[in-house]
Amino acid sequence: MRLLSTYIARQYWITATLIMVALVGIVWLTQAVRFLDYLLNRGLSVGMFIKFSSLMVPSFLIVVIPIALTLAAILIFNRLSNEHELTVMQAVGSSPLQLLSPVIALSGLMLIFCYALSVYVIPISYTAFKEMQQQIRQEYAVNLLQEGKFISLGNNRTLYIGKRDASGGLRDVLFHDGSKPRHEVTITAAYGLIQSQGTTLRLLINDGMRQELDPIKGRIAYLSFKDYILDLSSLLPIQDKKRSREIQEYFTGELLNPPADISAKDRQRLIAHGHSRLTMPLYCLSLPILAVLMLWRLGYDRRGHASGLAVIAAGFVCIMMAALGLENLAAQQPVWLLLQDLNALLPLIAAVWLLARQHGMFRLAEAS
């Protein structure tokens, strides 16, 4: 019997892994496309881009894993049934519980893994993702100031930097402000330095000259200076480093016991997401087992079970969609929290009941 369990386990684990990798890759690519601008236009390296976009993986991995496990269970046991291997295994005395033991074992491991993701990994990875996203946006304004190029700042304002040294210093700086046609200003300086603090972005320049056209006298006024400050905050806006936490950044305990100083609406959103964190991993265990048990109830048909498999797959898609939809409803009305929890618990209860019933029938048939 152990040999049969090992045979099923190897096929199930390999199939589940391949499906999981494929689904994660597809979802990751769809999410990564949203941030291609960081790679193409914001000077982000390929390695940093992969690290940045990969920080989102735990957030959708908790949804992908139950789907992968369920699809693998359906594919493997449907093949075993069509090739009569399942019939032979039952004929030599393998009980339903023994045949399902590889599915239960892997699903149990994934259940623990998903709870680790839900309770600990997701808040940390999503916080790191948001902090890295903000850092990229902060540095974008500074990195935009490239040497040897005339940089348009909008509203007829232009900045030129001759050279940037390794320490971040600027050489041969030119700034032209033509936003007021009758009072155009040109500033040149030998040295400069960018300072970024909060939402403030300033250009400190030294040893330069300010030239302004006097429309009345029709001549240019010159002003030499030792130090001069240009405020670029309105020209190259950057976000404040202080940001509010998003719901994915809260740990499960914080979600279920929200801070007292938030609004009732935000409090309900946190509680609903907390329930989702606790219930979503349960699908790793319930859906694969329930899928196999429902497949067995279809019996053997030499023409296959295409329609039956479609119904089973559609039912599980509905369960996963309901899990996501009920969280949104529960975030608005507390009454939906019960349905949100039942949507996760009922498939598990049904799986346990059907397995006990199937195992009991096997025992009766064996005794007779």
Side-chain angles (χ1 to χ4, degrees):
M1 298 306 174
R2 181 177 297 179
L3 184 63
L4 294 178
S5 296
T6 304
Y7 171 72
I8 296 174
R10 182 169 57 250
Q11 295 190 61
Y12 178 58
W13 292 4
I14 292 174
T15 304
T17 301
L18 292 176
I19 295 175
M20 202 178 304
V21 170
L23 290 177
V24 168
I26 293 171
V27 178
W28 178 79
L29 284 174
T30 58
Q31 296 297 316
V33 168
R34 297 165 47 199
F35 304 106
L36 278 179
D37 178 63
Y38 291 0
L39 178 64
L40 300 177
N41 300 321
R42 303 199 179 191
L44 196 66
S45 65
V46 175
M48 290 296 291
F49 174 76
I50 294 175
K51 177 183 177 182
F52 170 66
S53 55
S54 297
L55 288 171
M56 294 187 63
V57 171
S59 298
F60 54 77
L61 197 59
I62 197 171
V63 178
V64 168
I65 288 177
I67 297 174
L69 292 176
T70 306
L71 288 177
I74 292 174
L75 290 174
I76 290 301
F77 279 88
N78 183 59
R79 186 189 66 78
L80 292 175
S81 177
N82 290 339
E83 295 179 3
H84 305 288
E85 294 182 59
L86 200 61
T87 304
V88 174
M89 293 177 186
Q90 291 173 329
V92 297
S94 296
S95 67
L97 185 59
Q98 290 172 327
L99 294 175
L100 268 173
S101 59
V103 177
I104 297 173
L106 181 58
S107 298
L109 288 175
M110 289 296 100
L111 173 70
I112 297 172
F113 177 69
C114 283
Y115 267 117
L117 284 177
S118 178
V119 174
Y120 184 73
V121 178
I122 289 178
I124 293 178
S125 66
Y126 197 82
T127 299
F129 166 76
K130 296 303 294 184
E131 289 178 350
M132 190 173 179
Q133 183 183 42
Q134 187 175 38
Q135 181 183 358
I136 293 170
R137 289 174 176 173
Q138 294 279 358
E139 294 176 352
Y140 171 60
V142 178
N143 293 334
L144 185 65
L145 306 179
Q146 301 178 15
E147 62 181 32
K149 292 184 179 180
F150 288 92
I151 304 159
S152 176
L153 303 178
N155 199 16
N156 203 19
R157 294 184 177 96
T158 304
L159 180 66
Y160 174 84
I161 296 171
K163 187 178 181 181
R164 298 185 66 166
D165 56 37
S167 62
L170 311 177
R171 306 277 182 170
D172 301 326
V173 180
L174 181 146
F175 176 74
H176 177 77
D177 185 358
S179 57
K180 300 177 182 179
R182 295 177 59 84
H183 297 277
E184 295 189 18
V185 176
T186 301
I187 299 174
T188 57
Y191 309 100
L193 183 66
I194 293 291
Q195 279 192 348
S196 173
Q197 184 176 6
T199 57
T200 302
L201 184 67
R202 300 188 301 176
L203 175 59
L204 310 180
I205 51 180
N206 313 108
D207 300 333
M209 179 179 293
R210 184 179 188 275
Q211 306 172 50
E212 182 176 357
L213 176 63
D214 188 340
I216 298 177
K217 296 181 180 181
R219 61 183 183 181
I220 299 176
Y222 297 89
L223 174 65
S224 298
F225 58 83
K226 184 68 176 177
D227 302 298
Y228 196 89
I229 299 176
L230 285 173
D231 188 358
L232 303 180
S233 301
S234 60
L235 307 178
L236 295 172
I238 57 178
Q239 295 183 352
D240 192 355
K241 292 182 180 179
K242 294 181 180 179
R243 60 177 182 84
S244 58
R245 293 172 70 187
E246 295 192 11
I247 193 170
Q248 292 88 346
E249 298 179 67
Y250 285 84
F251 287 93
T252 306
E254 296 176 295
L255 291 171
L256 297 176
N257 297 282
D261 58 346
I262 63 174
S263 65
K265 182 178 180 181
D266 290 338
R267 181 182 179 85
Q268 187 58 36
R269 285 179 61 248
L270 292 177
I271 293 175
H273 192 68
H275 279 249
S276 180
R277 288 268 188 91
L278 292 178
T279 56
M280 191 63 73
L282 293 177
Y283 296 111
C284 294
L285 186 61
S286 61
L287 296 189
I289 298 173
L290 191 58
V292 175
L293 293 172
M294 293 180 67
L295 184 63
W296 283 351
R297 294 182 70 85
L298 295 176
Y300 172 74
D301 189 341
R302 63 180 181 179
R303 293 173 299 179
H305 298 293
S307 58
L309 291 176
V311 172
I312 293 173
F316 292 127
V317 169
C318 291
I319 291 175
M320 293 303 297
M321 290 181 64
L324 301 175
L326 286 170
E327 180 184 347
N328 295 328
L329 292 174
Q332 301 173 14
Q333 295 292 336
V335 68
W336 292 101
L337 287 173
L338 178 60
L339 288 178
Q340 183 183 4
D341 296 340
L342 287 176
N343 189 69
L345 292 174
L346 288 180
L348 183 60
I349 294 172
V352 173
W353 180 76
L354 287 175
L355 180 59
R357 190 166 180 267
Q358 191 87 10
H359 191 69
M361 292 175 62
F362 175 83
R363 289 299 185 192
L364 288 175
E366 190 179 49
S368 62

